[in-house]
Amino acid sequence: MSLKAVHLVFVTALSALCAGLAVWKLVDFFRPTGQAGDLALGVVGLLCAAGVVVYGRYFLKKLKSVGYL
Amino acid sequence: MDIPYTVQPRPDTGVYNAKVGMWLFLASEVMLFGGLFSAYILLRVAAPEGTWPHGWLSIPLGTLNTLILALSAVTVLLAWAACKARMFDRYKFFQGITLLLGVIFLGIKGYEYHDKLTHYTVVLKDGRIADGHWVSATPSEVVLKGEFVAERSELADRRGRAKAHEEIRLARDQVQKMQVYGPAYNTYLALYFTMTGLHGLHVLGGLVVFAFLWGPGSRLWKTDPDRFTNRVEVAGLFWHFVDLVWIFLFPVLYLT
Amino acid sequence: MQATSPAIPASTHHPAHHPETGFWRTYIFSTDHKVIGIQYGITALCFLFFGFLLMLMMRWQIAHPGEPVPIVGPLLAAVLGDVAARGVMSPDLYNSFGAMHGTIMVFLGVVPLAVGAYGNYLVPLQIGANDMAFPRLNMMSYQLYFLGGIVMLTSFFIPGGAAQAGWTSYSPLATAIPTDGQTFWLIGMVFLITSSLLGSVNLITTIIQLRAPGLTWMRLPFFVWAQFTASFLLLLAFPPLETAGILQLMDKLAGTSFFLPTGLAIGGKLADISGGGSPLLWQHLFWFLAHPEVYVLILPAMGIIGEIIANNTRKPLWGYKSLVFSVLMIGFISFLVWAHHMYLTGMGTRISAFFQTTTMIISIPSVIILTALLISLWGGSIRFNTPMLFALAFLPMFGIGGLTGLPLGFSASDIHLHDTYYVIGHFHYVVAPGTIFALFAGIYYWFPKITGRRMNEYWGKVHFWGSLLFMNLIFMPMFVQGLAGMLRRMSDGGLQYSAAKVPGVAGALSGPILGLNNFILWAAAGLAIAQIPFIINFFWSIAKGQPVRSDNPWEATTLEWQTPTPPPHGNFLKPPQVYRGPYEYSLPGYDKDYVPQNQPPG
């Protein structure tokens, strides 16, 4: 497996982590003990997850167009 | 005497030697961290109800570190792509960024360690327990910034708890036991320091290799760019593994 | 293509483009796999001898507790001080020697010899490569091994002496002993583990990447397959022990409690620790390495035996494919049997049931290998030279070792036998007359390739018969002692449980059972004497042995014999091309009874 394949695996794991963090913190927020900090982190996690997925799609597309990699 | 397949892949296996070596090494690394994670699971499952600490680490700092490592994974890939495209300046730029990000990661980690190693729990002779960060100490008294608690168990779960900032003055002759938040404090901190410490050593090792490939090692570019590109790729594989370990460490230590 | 040429000193064979190097680069900091292999071999043989000497002293203490050790007693007292006052071995010293005997034999003796020396020297030759894939890494592996050995040896001389908690180093005992021996042991182990990891990465990469053209997987000699699997075991099983070592080091130095339970009392006082650790965790992590490690000890030995049997029966190995798949299967299942060392820990009957099942399953491929090697003898015109004698003795000896292991694999019978001399007898039959006989066989067999001279046959046979006799006289009585309930690791040899000390107690050790201690002592002394012909023969033959008349004195088929003798730096005069399987002996239609792997068809 080459570096690009590993990079894809890594991006997938990272997006799973970010999404997991978002779900976790948002669930915490909607509990009675929820705090503003939970909401903030949840939103950050969500944004990160979205960002990572977008990057992953961009990377895949780029791979197809770049022959030398 | 030349050893074959150091640069070009062997046709029937499709890889060059160093890549096989790195993958085998990573397999053993998986087992190394696998052992640590099994230890974590076993010790955590065996811990009595309500004693496992929660919210002892700063999630914003952890998240920041996660993002820094993620970004460095991207730059290390770009550095390799630049080598492949024969753009040496671009390689230097991205590899430099990777180095910088790695150093920042270690810096933040160091700050977190410092925060823990200046944090004390003091058991007083009258049974009260003080918990806070070290401010100053004289031969007769210790000054902490923190709070008093009645029971140790109150300290276990700190999620959603506001930071106490009251200054506590403790006479030395009243102190029964003073414990720093180091590895010996409890099993959780022992695991935290050992796991992140070992991971930090891997980060440091990766940075040493990157520094070499960025500095003196990059002379190889002039004589054998293909071989140099392979080195960058293999170092990148290792770096991705280190990042991946962090992606497991972060939820296990910070979030749960 | 016949590379056969009269034996000429290596220097005349140097390829022109190879620059001359000085003494240090040629012999000490060499990157040549053959020099490194020899370095491994000599170091490991020294450690084997040292480990054996430790055991000789311990056998004296077991047979004559409290009496000064003869011959070396004054030396012990002078070098080690109070722990050996008047030359008498104290219980602490006995424990140190016991722990270090196990550690040295396994991690510094047999594994470096079987994998480090044989693997390094022979695998590149047998696959037709000019060196290992990473020569500088190879040099580093040896140096780390050497450093680890130095650390282990140094620990004898620090205050309090070497580690005392057995080679298994169970916590909390290992952590609770207040001396620094265990810390040295752990640091030494980190060196040794790193060395094995680098070595196995190197060996596997070499086998995958550097096979000669035409040398497909199913044309690899059985020995290469055995080394390949053993290296994978080292690669994947050692890291968890490294983890465990780091955690125990933290327990020892940083005051953590990974393996120390809540409420642990040391010397009647509650220990000042945070607690919450698990002693079982250490045992799991340790045996996750240490069971595959057992197969690291035996697989290369089986590989050596396979080569020698094929060569000396002058016919192909019977069931090459089943041998290969059995080796791979052993490698795989060996990761699933570790907890059969832990039946007594009370980890639960369901877990025990699982590990009993896997333990029975792993005996199947072992039996297949032994059977295939045995059937290989059938109908062969066997040449009874020294290597073949050792190889033939390996079969029944390993058989005894393996079969006596079955009662230990069942939890019901293991409860009686656990930690008795029965266990000692069992695994020593596997490792001593098993693996070490194979290693001896290999030394006699490949000596002509390495030095260009043969070892003396007569003294080789004396060495063989003496070793075979005394090995059995040592280990056979241990089964009897163990069945009678005599525990291992007792510095008084079981005296405190003898019928004389505790009269009328059921299960007390009888006089004859304890008397066997003395019998074993003299058998061990006999074994030591039986090694003298080997040591003299070894050194004498390097200088004065009968020179070989061809590069292939045993008329073997595999590639290591198709090089000049001894092989120069870079090994082959021209890169070999392989056309056939590894054991084409007695092929009809050829004028010779062997066809080398690199001989073109037709």
Side-chain angles (χ1 to χ4, degrees), chain C residues 41-102:
Chain C
I42 290 174
T43 320
L45 279 173
C46 291
F47 274 117
L48 276 181
F49 187 66
F50 179 64
F52 180 55
L53 288 184
L54 289 181
M55 184 37 76
L56 272 183
M57 292 183 252
M58 288 166 72
R59 289 301 335 175
W60 172 266
Q61 163 74 9
I62 291 170
H64 303 279
E67 291 175 33
V69 184
I71 306 171
V72 291
L75 184 70
L76 281 182
V79 174
L80 297 173
D82 282 347
V83 284
R86 295 180 295 109
V88 179
M89 205 182 274
S90 64
D92 282 352
L93 187 63
Y94 178 87
N95 289 343
S96 283
F97 277 18
M100 296 313 282
H101 167 76

Coordinates of all heavy atoms in Angstrom, one line a residue, chain C residues 41-102:
Chain C
G41 N 26.7 -16.0 16.1 CA 26.9 -17.4 16.5 C 27.8 -17.5 17.7 O 27.6 -18.2 18.7
I42 N 29.0 -16.8 17.6 CA 30.0 -16.9 18.6 C 29.5 -16.3 19.9 O 29.6 -17.0 21.0 CB 31.3 -16.3 18.2 CG1 31.9 -17.1 17.0 CG2 32.3 -16.1 19.3 CD1 33.1 -16.5 16.4
T43 N 28.8 -15.1 19.8 CA 28.3 -14.5 21.1 C 27.3 -15.5 21.7 O 27.3 -15.7 22.9 CB 27.7 -13.2 20.7 OG1 28.5 -12.5 19.8 CG2 27.5 -12.3 22.0
A44 N 26.4 -16.0 20.9 CA 25.3 -16.8 21.4 C 25.9 -18.1 22.0 O 25.4 -18.5 23.1 CB 24.3 -17.1 20.3
L45 N 26.9 -18.7 21.4 CA 27.5 -19.9 21.9 C 28.1 -19.6 23.3 O 28.0 -20.4 24.2 CB 28.5 -20.5 21.0 CG 27.9 -21.3 19.8 CD1 29.0 -21.7 18.9 CD2 27.3 -22.6 20.3
C46 N 28.8 -18.5 23.4 CA 29.3 -18.1 24.7 C 28.2 -18.0 25.8 O 28.4 -18.4 26.9 CB 30.1 -16.8 24.6 SG 31.6 -16.9 23.6
F47 N 27.1 -17.3 25.4 CA 26.0 -17.1 26.3 C 25.4 -18.5 26.7 O 25.1 -18.7 27.9 CB 25.0 -16.2 25.8 CG 25.2 -14.8 26.1 CD1 25.4 -13.9 25.0 CD2 25.3 -14.3 27.4 CE1 25.7 -12.5 25.3 CE2 25.6 -13.0 27.6 CZ 25.8 -12.1 26.6
L48 N 25.3 -19.4 25.7 CA 24.8 -20.7 26.0 C 25.7 -21.4 27.1 O 25.2 -22.0 28.0 CB 24.7 -21.6 24.8 CG 23.5 -21.4 23.9 CD1 23.6 -22.4 22.7 CD2 22.3 -21.8 24.6
F49 N 27.0 -21.3 26.9 CA 27.9 -22.0 27.8 C 27.8 -21.3 29.2 O 27.8 -22.0 30.2 CB 29.3 -21.8 27.2 CG 30.3 -22.6 28.0 CD1 30.3 -24.0 28.0 CD2 31.3 -21.9 28.7 CE1 31.2 -24.7 28.7 CE2 32.3 -22.7 29.4 CZ 32.2 -24.0 29.4
F50 N 27.7 -20.0 29.2 CA 27.6 -19.3 30.5 C 26.3 -19.7 31.2 O 26.3 -20.0 32.4 CB 27.6 -17.8 30.2 CG 27.5 -17.0 31.5 CD1 28.5 -17.1 32.5 CD2 26.4 -16.2 31.7 CE1 28.4 -16.3 33.6 CE2 26.3 -15.4 32.9 CZ 27.3 -15.5 33.8
G51 N 25.2 -19.7 30.5 CA 23.9 -20.1 31.1 C 24.0 -21.6 31.6 O 23.4 -21.9 32.7
F52 N 24.7 -22.4 30.9 CA 24.9 -23.8 31.4 C 25.7 -23.9 32.6 O 25.4 -24.6 33.6 CB 25.5 -24.6 30.2 CG 25.8 -26.1 30.6 CD1 24.7 -26.9 31.0 CD2 27.0 -26.6 30.4 CE1 24.9 -28.2 31.3 CE2 27.2 -27.9 30.7 CZ 26.2 -28.7 31.2
L53 N 26.7 -23.0 32.7 CA 27.5 -23.0 34.0 C 26.7 -22.5 35.2 O 26.8 -23.1 36.3 CB 28.7 -22.0 33.8 CG 29.8 -22.5 32.9 CD1 31.0 -21.5 32.8 CD2 30.3 -23.9 33.3
L54 N 25.8 -21.5 34.9 CA 24.9 -21.1 36.0 C 24.1 -22.3 36.5 O 24.0 -22.5 37.7 CB 24.0 -20.0 35.5 CG 24.5 -18.6 35.2 CD1 23.4 -17.7 34.7 CD2 25.2 -18.0 36.4
M55 N 23.6 -23.0 35.6 CA 22.8 -24.2 35.9 C 23.6 -25.2 36.7 O 23.1 -25.8 37.6 CB 22.1 -24.7 34.7 CG 21.1 -25.8 35.0 SD 20.2 -25.6 36.5 CE 19.0 -24.4 36.0
L56 N 24.9 -25.4 36.3 CA 25.7 -26.4 37.0 C 25.8 -26.1 38.5 O 25.6 -26.9 39.4 CB 27.1 -26.5 36.4 CG 27.2 -27.5 35.2 CD1 28.7 -27.5 34.8 CD2 26.8 -28.9 35.6
M57 N 26.1 -24.8 38.7 CA 26.2 -24.3 40.1 C 24.9 -24.5 40.8 O 24.8 -24.9 42.0 CB 26.6 -22.8 40.1 CG 28.0 -22.6 39.6 SD 28.5 -20.9 39.8 CE 28.5 -20.4 38.1
M58 N 23.7 -24.2 40.2 CA 22.4 -24.4 40.8 C 22.2 -25.8 41.1 O 21.6 -26.2 42.1 CB 21.3 -23.8 39.9 CG 21.4 -22.3 39.8 SD 20.3 -21.7 38.5 CE 18.7 -22.1 39.1
R59 N 22.6 -26.7 40.2 CA 22.3 -28.2 40.4 C 23.1 -28.6 41.7 O 22.6 -29.5 42.4 CB 22.7 -29.0 39.2 CG 21.9 -28.9 38.0 CD 20.4 -29.3 38.0 NE 19.9 -30.2 39.0 CZ 18.6 -30.4 39.1 NH1 17.7 -29.9 38.3 NH2 18.1 -31.2 40.0
W60 N 24.3 -28.0 41.9 CA 25.0 -28.4 43.1 C 24.2 -28.0 44.3 O 24.0 -28.7 45.3 CB 26.4 -27.7 43.1 CG 27.1 -27.9 44.4 CD1 27.0 -27.0 45.5 CD2 27.8 -29.0 44.8 NE1 27.7 -27.5 46.5 CE2 28.2 -28.8 46.2 CE3 28.2 -30.2 44.2 CZ2 29.0 -29.7 46.9 CZ3 29.0 -31.1 45.0 CH2 29.4 -30.9 46.3
Q61 N 23.7 -26.7 44.3 CA 22.9 -26.2 45.4 C 21.7 -27.0 45.7 O 21.3 -27.3 46.8 CB 22.6 -24.7 45.2 CG 21.5 -24.2 46.0 CD 22.0 -23.9 47.4 OE1 23.1 -24.0 47.7 NE2 21.0 -23.6 48.3
I62 N 21.0 -27.5 44.6 CA 19.8 -28.3 44.8 C 20.2 -29.6 45.4 O 19.5 -30.1 46.3 CB 19.1 -28.5 43.4 CG1 18.6 -27.2 42.9 CG2 18.0 -29.6 43.5 CD1 18.1 -27.3 41.4
A63 N 21.3 -30.2 45.0 CA 21.6 -31.6 45.5 C 22.3 -31.5 46.8 O 22.1 -32.4 47.7 CB 22.5 -32.3 44.5
H64 N 23.0 -30.4 47.1 CA 23.7 -30.2 48.4 C 23.4 -28.9 49.0 O 24.4 -28.0 49.0 CB 25.2 -30.5 48.2 CG 25.6 -31.8 47.6 ND1 25.6 -32.9 48.3 CD2 25.8 -32.1 46.3 CE1 25.9 -33.9 47.5 NE2 26.1 -33.5 46.3
P65 N 22.2 -28.6 49.4 CA 21.9 -27.2 49.8 C 22.8 -26.8 51.0 O 23.0 -27.6 51.9 CB 20.4 -27.3 50.2 CG 20.1 -28.8 50.3 CD 21.1 -29.5 49.4
G66 N 23.3 -25.6 51.0 CA 24.0 -25.1 52.1 C 25.5 -25.5 52.1 O 26.2 -25.1 53.0
E67 N 25.9 -26.3 51.1 CA 27.4 -26.6 51.1 C 28.1 -25.8 50.1 O 27.5 -25.4 49.0 CB 27.5 -28.1 50.7 CG 27.0 -29.1 51.8 CD 27.1 -30.5 51.3 OE1 28.0 -30.8 50.5 OE2 26.2 -31.3 51.7
P68 N 29.3 -25.4 50.3 CA 30.0 -24.5 49.4 C 30.1 -25.2 48.0 O 30.3 -26.4 47.9 CB 31.4 -24.4 50.0 CG 31.3 -24.7 51.4 CD 30.1 -25.7 51.5
V69 N 30.0 -24.4 47.0 CA 30.1 -24.9 45.6 C 31.5 -25.3 45.4 O 32.4 -24.5 45.6 CB 29.6 -23.8 44.6 CG1 29.6 -24.4 43.2 CG2 28.3 -23.3 45.0
P70 N 31.8 -26.5 44.9 CA 33.1 -26.9 44.7 C 33.7 -26.1 43.5 O 33.0 -25.7 42.6 CB 33.0 -28.4 44.4 CG 31.6 -28.6 44.0 CD 30.8 -27.6 44.6
I71 N 35.0 -26.1 43.4 CA 35.9 -25.5 42.4 C 35.6 -23.9 42.3 O 36.5 -23.2 42.5 CB 35.6 -26.1 41.0 CG1 35.8 -27.6 41.1 CG2 36.6 -25.5 40.0 CD1 35.4 -28.4 39.9
V72 N 34.4 -23.5 41.9 CA 34.2 -22.1 41.7 C 33.7 -21.3 43.0 O 33.5 -20.1 42.9 CB 33.1 -21.8 40.6 CG1 33.7 -22.2 39.2 CG2 31.9 -22.6 40.9
G73 N 33.5 -22.1 44.1 CA 32.9 -21.4 45.3 C 33.7 -20.2 45.7 O 33.2 -19.1 45.9
P74 N 35.1 -20.3 45.9 CA 35.9 -19.2 46.3 C 35.8 -18.0 45.4 O 35.7 -16.9 45.8 CB 37.3 -19.7 46.4 CG 37.1 -21.2 46.5 CD 35.9 -21.6 45.8
L75 N 35.7 -18.3 44.1 CA 35.5 -17.3 43.1 C 34.2 -16.5 43.2 O 34.2 -15.3 43.2 CB 35.6 -17.9 41.7 CG 35.6 -16.9 40.5 CD1 36.9 -16.2 40.4 CD2 35.3 -17.7 39.2
L76 N 33.1 -17.3 43.5 CA 31.8 -16.7 43.7 C 31.9 -15.8 44.9 O 31.4 -14.6 44.8 CB 30.8 -17.8 43.9 CG 30.2 -18.5 42.7 CD1 29.1 -19.5 43.2 CD2 29.6 -17.5 41.7
A77 N 32.5 -16.3 46.0 CA 32.6 -15.5 47.2 C 33.4 -14.2 47.0 O 33.0 -13.1 47.4 CB 33.2 -16.3 48.3
A78 N 34.4 -14.3 46.2 CA 35.3 -13.1 46.0 C 34.6 -12.1 45.1 O 34.7 -10.9 45.3 CB 36.6 -13.6 45.3
V79 N 33.9 -12.6 44.0 CA 33.3 -11.7 43.1 C 32.0 -11.1 43.5 O 31.7 -9.9 43.4 CB 33.2 -12.4 41.7 CG1 32.5 -11.5 40.7 CG2 34.5 -12.8 41.2
L80 N 31.2 -12.0 44.1 CA 29.8 -11.5 44.4 C 29.6 -11.1 45.8 O 28.6 -10.5 46.2 CB 28.8 -12.6 44.0 CG 28.8 -13.0 42.5 CD1 27.9 -14.2 42.3 CD2 28.3 -11.8 41.7
G81 N 30.5 -11.4 46.7 CA 30.5 -10.9 48.1 C 29.5 -11.7 48.9 O 29.4 -12.9 48.9
D82 N 28.7 -11.0 49.7 CA 27.9 -11.6 50.8 C 26.9 -12.6 50.3 O 26.6 -13.6 51.0 CB 27.1 -10.5 51.5 CG 28.0 -9.8 52.5 OD1 29.1 -10.3 52.7 OD2 27.6 -8.7 53.0
V83 N 26.3 -12.4 49.1 CA 25.3 -13.4 48.6 C 25.9 -14.8 48.4 O 25.2 -15.8 48.3 CB 24.6 -12.9 47.3 CG1 23.6 -11.8 47.6 CG2 25.6 -12.5 46.3
A84 N 27.3 -14.8 48.3 CA 27.9 -16.1 48.2 C 29.0 -16.3 49.2 O 30.1 -16.8 49.0 CB 28.5 -16.3 46.8
A85 N 28.6 -15.9 50.5 CA 29.6 -16.0 51.5 C 30.1 -17.4 51.7 O 29.4 -18.4 51.6 CB 29.0 -15.5 52.8
R86 N 31.5 -17.6 51.8 CA 32.1 -18.9 52.0 C 31.9 -19.8 50.7 O 32.1 -21.0 50.8 CB 31.7 -19.7 53.2 CG 32.1 -19.0 54.5 CD 31.6 -19.8 55.7 NE 30.2 -19.8 55.8 CZ 29.5 -20.9 55.5 NH1 30.1 -22.0 55.2 NH2 28.1 -20.9 55.6
G87 N 31.4 -19.2 49.6 CA 31.1 -20.0 48.5 C 29.8 -20.7 48.5 O 29.6 -21.6 47.6
V88 N 29.0 -20.5 49.5 CA 27.7 -21.1 49.6 C 26.7 -20.2 48.9 O 26.7 -19.0 49.0 CB 27.2 -21.3 51.1 CG1 25.8 -21.9 51.1 CG2 28.2 -22.1 51.8
M89 N 25.8 -20.8 48.1 CA 24.9 -20.1 47.3 C 23.7 -19.7 48.2 O 23.0 -20.6 48.7 CB 24.4 -20.9 46.1 CG 23.9 -20.1 45.0 SD 23.3 -21.2 43.7 CE 24.8 -21.5 42.8
S90 N 23.5 -18.4 48.4 CA 22.3 -18.0 49.2 C 21.0 -18.1 48.4 O 21.1 -18.2 47.2 CB 22.5 -16.5 49.7 OG 22.5 -15.7 48.5
P91 N 19.9 -18.2 49.0 CA 18.6 -18.3 48.3 C 18.5 -17.1 47.3 O 18.0 -17.3 46.2 CB 17.5 -18.2 49.3 CG 18.2 -18.8 50.6 CD 19.6 -18.3 50.5
D92 N 18.9 -15.9 47.7 CA 18.8 -14.8 46.7 C 19.6 -15.1 45.5 O 19.2 -14.8 44.4 CB 19.3 -13.5 47.4 CG 18.3 -12.9 48.3 OD1 17.2 -13.4 48.3 OD2 18.6 -12.0 49.1
L93 N 20.8 -15.6 45.7 CA 21.7 -15.8 44.6 C 21.1 -16.9 43.7 O 21.2 -16.8 42.5 CB 23.1 -16.2 45.1 CG 24.2 -16.3 44.0 CD1 24.4 -15.0 43.3 CD2 25.5 -16.8 44.5
Y94 N 20.6 -17.9 44.4 CA 20.0 -19.0 43.6 C 18.9 -18.5 42.7 O 18.8 -18.8 41.6 CB 19.4 -20.1 44.6 CG 18.7 -21.2 43.9 CD1 19.4 -22.3 43.5 CD2 17.3 -21.2 43.6 CE1 18.8 -23.3 42.8 CE2 16.7 -22.2 43.0 CZ 17.4 -23.3 42.6 OH 16.8 -24.3 41.9
N95 N 18.0 -17.6 43.3 CA 16.9 -17.0 42.5 C 17.5 -16.2 41.3 O 17.0 -16.3 40.2 CB 16.1 -16.1 43.4 CG 15.3 -16.9 44.4 OD1 15.1 -18.1 44.2 ND2 14.8 -16.3 45.4
S96 N 18.6 -15.4 41.6 CA 19.2 -14.7 40.5 C 19.6 -15.6 39.4 O 19.4 -15.4 38.2 CB 20.4 -13.9 41.0 OG 20.0 -12.8 41.7
F97 N 20.4 -16.6 39.8 CA 20.9 -17.5 38.8 C 19.8 -18.2 38.0 O 19.9 -18.4 36.8 CB 21.8 -18.6 39.5 CG 23.2 -18.2 39.7 CD1 23.5 -16.8 39.7 CD2 24.2 -19.1 40.0 CE1 24.8 -16.4 40.0 CE2 25.5 -18.7 40.2 CZ 25.8 -17.3 40.2
G98 N 18.7 -18.6 38.7 CA 17.6 -19.2 38.1 C 17.0 -18.3 37.0 O 16.8 -18.6 35.9
A99 N 16.7 -17.0 37.4 CA 16.1 -16.1 36.5 C 17.0 -15.8 35.3 O 16.6 -15.8 34.2 CB 15.8 -14.7 37.2
M100 N 18.3 -15.7 35.6 CA 19.2 -15.3 34.5 C 19.5 -16.6 33.6 O 19.8 -16.4 32.5 CB 20.5 -14.8 35.1 CG 20.3 -13.5 35.8 SD 19.3 -12.3 34.9 CE 20.5 -11.7 33.7
H101 N 19.5 -17.8 34.2 CA 19.6 -19.0 33.4 C 18.6 -19.0 32.3 O 18.9 -19.1 31.1 CB 19.6 -20.2 34.2 CG 19.4 -21.5 33.4 ND1 20.5 -22.1 32.7 CD2 18.4 -22.3 33.1 CE1 20.1 -23.1 32.1 NE2 18.8 -23.3 32.3
G102 N 17.3 -18.8 32.7 CA 16.2 -18.8 31.7 C 16.4 -17.7 30.7 O 16.3 -17.9 29.5

